Amino acid sequence: MSSRIYLDLETTGLEGSNSIVEVSAVYYSGGLKVSSFSARGNDPSAKINLEALRVNKYNFRGLAELRSEQQLLMDLFDWILGLNAKSADLAGINIQFDYNLIKQRAEKYNIIVGSVLPYRL
């Protein structure tokens, strides 16, 4: 039976210049939940779309209280690296957007994702 990482992001908008503010992920292998991850962060220099904040139920004060987006991404990658999930599929709602945004935002912090995120979407 295959393994799969289900992933979902909340963001300050739908462009690469918007920040990731929340990541949740669950890893399943052989039909069983193995591990989960959840973290919040923000890049204060990122663009903010007020409609995105309304949808995500964030406000500026709430964003200011979050840890850095860079730390959020490093924690996510540490979690993924700790999994034995090299052949896992990546799944979620609008997963292509989430996958691309994670890669774009990581590059801002000189983190090259490469094959750490599963290839198959």
Side-chain angles (χ1 to χ4, degrees), residues 30-74:
L32 301 173
K33 179 180 173 183
V34 175
S35 182
S36 62
F37 174 85
S38 182
R40 295 177 180 176
N42 182 46
D43 172 8
S45 70
K47 285 174 61 175
I48 297 174
N49 180 312
L50 292 180
E51 282 300 316
L53 293 187
R54 180 182 292 164
V55 168
N56 297 333
K57 298 186 177 29
Y58 277 96
N59 58 33
F60 287 99
R61 179 174 292 142
L63 291 177
E65 294 171 353
L66 297 176
R67 67 176 149 181
S68 74
E69 179 188 55
Q70 181 178 12
Q71 187 62 55
L72 174 152
L73 289 168
M74 290 188 305

Side-chain angles (χ1 to χ4, degrees), residues 104-119:
Q104 287 175 336
R105 297 307 294 172
E107 286 178 14
K108 177 182 184 205
Y109 307 108
N110 296 314
I111 302 169
I112 307 305
V113 174
S115 64
V116 170
L117 285 177
Y119 291 141

Side-chain angles (χ1 to χ4, degrees), residues 77 84 118:
F77 297 137
N84 187 14

Side-chain angles (χ1 to χ4, degrees), residues 61-103:
R61 179 174 292 142
L63 291 177
E65 294 171 353
L66 297 176
R67 67 176 149 181
S68 74
E69 179 188 55
Q70 181 178 12
Q71 187 62 55
L72 174 152
L73 289 168
M74 290 188 305
D75 290 347
L76 173 64
F77 297 137
D78 280 348
W79 177 75
I80 292 171
L81 289 168
L83 301 173
N84 187 14
K86 290 183 181 179
S87 63
D89 295 331
L90 195 58
I93 306 235
N94 203 5
I95 193 62
Q96 190 70 49
F97 169 81
D98 291 355
Y99 176 80
N100 289 331
L101 188 61
I102 287 172
K103 287 177 65 175

